[in-house]
Amino acid sequence: MKTPPHEVLELFGFGEAHRLHIRREPRLEFGTGRKPTMAVTVEQPGVPRHYFPYDPERLHALRAFAVQLARGVAERPRL
């Protein structure tokens, strides 16, 4: 099954929003612990990571989304 093409990953936090273009190759990384956070990173040096807390009960769905995002980044045509 081919992932549909997506151009922008939009992130909404408590007081801010970010739009990351797929060309910047965003990826999700998950931390654990008492207050688990998800980090959104891009393949561009000098760009800060964006951290968001997540509900541990949703970790399975978030990991599935991370796989889908990685597949979309890998399958996109290179310019």
Side-chain angles (χ1 to χ4, degrees), residues 23-69:
R23 285 187 305 239
R24 296 175 73 188
E25 301 181 7
R27 69 182 183 279
L28 307 180
E29 300 171 353
F30 301 95
T32 58
R34 232 182 66 214
K35 295 183 180 180
T37 57
M38 173 180 69
V40 180
T41 61
V42 295
E43 290 296 325
Q44 183 177 350
V47 175
R49 293 179 177 194
H50 302 287
Y51 293 94
F52 297 91
Y54 69 87
D55 183 352
E57 295 171 359
R58 295 182 182 246
L59 181 58
H60 181 70
L62 288 169
R63 286 191 191 271
F65 176 71
V67 168
Q68 192 175 25
L69 176 63

